[in-house]
Every structure is written in C-alpha cells, then in structure tokens.
Amino acid sequence: MRHFGKLLLFLLVAYGLLVGAMRVYVETYSQDLVQGPVSAIVVLSSGPMRDDREGRTGMRTRSGVDLYFRLRQAGDDPKLVLSGGKVYSDHPSMAEDMRDLAVDLGVPPDKIIVEGRSGSTLQNALFSLQLLGDEASGQIAVVTDRFHIPRAWTSFRWAGMSDLVMVSADGETEPVDWDNLMGEGIKWPANALRGLVFSILTTLGRAEEDTLWIIE
C-alpha cells in the first residue's frame, strides 16, 4: 500500500508539472512564420461543426483557408487536407462539414482532400500521411489550437512527417481554459503509449487495420 501511495504521488506530481509546463507554453507561444513551399495544409477538427459554423472546428477551418489563400498569393500551391471522422453515425464526417465551409469560402474543390475516418489525433496524422502519399515528404502546415499543438506535433512526427510547421488557429493571445490543458495532461502521455503499442504490433507483423482501434 505504501508503494502504491508513492506511485500515486509521483503520477500526481508529474501530471501537475506537465499541465504547468503546457500553461507556460500557451502563454508564451510565438507563431512560426509559414514560408513556402508548403506541400499541404492539414486542418484538424475539434468536435462537430456548429450550425453557425463558428466554434473550434469552424475557427480552425477558417484559419486553414486563410493560410491557403496567403500561400497561393505568394505563388505556392498547397493541398488543403481537412481531417476529422464521424461523431454521429447518421451525420456526415467532420471533414465533410469542413470541406463545405472551405468551398463556400472559395477554395477550389480539387485542392481539398477529405480525411473523414479519423477518431483521434494519431489517426489524423496517420490517415493524412496515407492520403498525401509522396507529398507528405514536403513541408506540412498543421492547423490546430495552441493547447493541442504539442500533441499534434508529436503525433505527426510519429506518423512519419518530419518537415512540420505548426499553426495556431487561436492566435497567440486568445485565453486558453484550464480544462483543455488538464485534458491534454492526460491525453498526451496516453497518446504516446498508444502510439508505441501500435508501432510495436505493426512492426511485429500485425495488420494495420486490425490494430487501428488502439489509436482511435
């Protein structure tokens, strides 16, 4: 029982330090300059698209579209990958709703790649890699919120994309709720463990489709 108490104390301290470090990260975040050539902009969903197209998923989509047009004006020609699976079985995927918004904002449909299978950040990264093919070896701009950037970066690196520039959809000064940071304090190490188990099993020969549930 004493050893269990020590382990619990260690985990609580580690969790507190991680959440505190992430608080410092979001408060001191400085956006990197996105310079071409950029092969693709990957926009990560965050829950169902609201009817008014606002909310976090709408905000991220608009940020990705803004970046797309800035790069086009600079002479670049990136793909726009919209990534997010279904929340409800009888509704379109989040990626499909994001595509509809992007098209309404002026993005040509043939420049959009819809990734509508993913149920997690790890799957966002893995499925985007598969859809991009050879283009995944170029520079990839990943659009998400500040609090989610560390987990998104590690997920895309894990999937095999190394030339990444992370883009904050909520800018540098938008307030970040503690509940988002506290959630990330659990999700980030959980993602690392799930990604490790998935990688080990697929390396040992397990079919990828049979192990996708581990990273869902």
Side-chain angles (χ1 to χ4, degrees):
M1 184 63 70
R2 183 175 60 186
H3 293 302
F4 175 77
K6 289 182 178 179
L7 175 61
L8 181 60
L9 177 61
F10 170 79
L11 292 175
L12 287 173
V13 170
Y15 173 73
L17 290 173
L18 179 57
V19 172
M22 287 168 39
R23 176 89 260 176
V24 172
Y25 172 81
V26 299
E27 294 293 347
T28 59
Y29 179 83
S30 178
Q31 177 62 57
D32 292 333
L33 182 64
V34 182
Q35 294 180 313
V38 172
S39 294
I41 303 163
V42 182
V43 184
L44 307 184
S45 62
S46 180
M49 181 80 75
R50 286 175 17 186
D51 290 340
D52 61 4
R53 289 179 160 181
E54 298 299 331
R56 190 163 284 134
T57 294
M59 177 182 67
R60 292 181 183 182
T61 304
R62 293 175 189 278
S63 180
V65 169
D66 288 345
L67 177 59
Y68 170 82
F69 284 118
R70 290 203 306 271
L71 291 171
R72 286 296 301 268
Q73 289 174 357
D76 213 348
D77 188 27
K79 294 291 187 182
L80 181 63
V81 182
L82 304 172
S83 181
K86 287 190 174 186
V87 179
Y88 308 109
S89 59
D90 58 343
H91 283 67
S93 67
M94 291 180 283
E96 290 173 285
D97 288 338
M98 296 162 74
R99 175 201 56 204
D100 292 344
L101 175 55
V103 170
D104 287 348
L105 292 172
V107 180
D110 63 337
K111 296 298 182 181
I112 297 174
I113 297 175
V114 174
E115 186 290 291
R117 297 172 56 203
S118 56
S120 69
T121 306
L122 291 170
Q123 289 188 349
N124 287 143
L126 182 63
F127 297 158
S128 294
L129 171 74
Q130 293 170 350
L131 289 173
L132 284 169
D134 292 341
E135 290 181 292
S137 61
Q139 183 176 211
I140 306 296
V142 180
V143 180
T144 187
D145 290 357
R146 295 199 317 278
F147 73 85
H148 187 232
I149 281 177
R151 182 157 60 98
W153 183 86
T154 55
S155 296
F156 276 74
R157 290 284 304 207
W158 164 83
M161 287 173 267
S162 58
D163 192 357
L164 299 171
V165 56
M166 309 305 291
V167 179
S168 168
D170 58 337
E172 298 179 347
T173 59
E174 187 73 18
V176 176
D177 294 336
W178 275 104
D179 59 344
N180 288 323
L181 297 176
M182 293 172 71
E184 286 299 303
I186 296 173
K187 293 174 182 178
W188 197 7
N191 256 29
L193 178 60
R194 291 159 58 202
L196 177 62
V197 172
F198 178 87
S199 296
I200 290 173
L201 290 177
T202 52
T203 299
L204 292 176
R206 287 287 298 274
E208 184 177 288
E209 290 297 322
D210 293 337
T211 52
L212 284 175
W213 62 271
I214 296 172
I215 59 170
E216 189 169 0

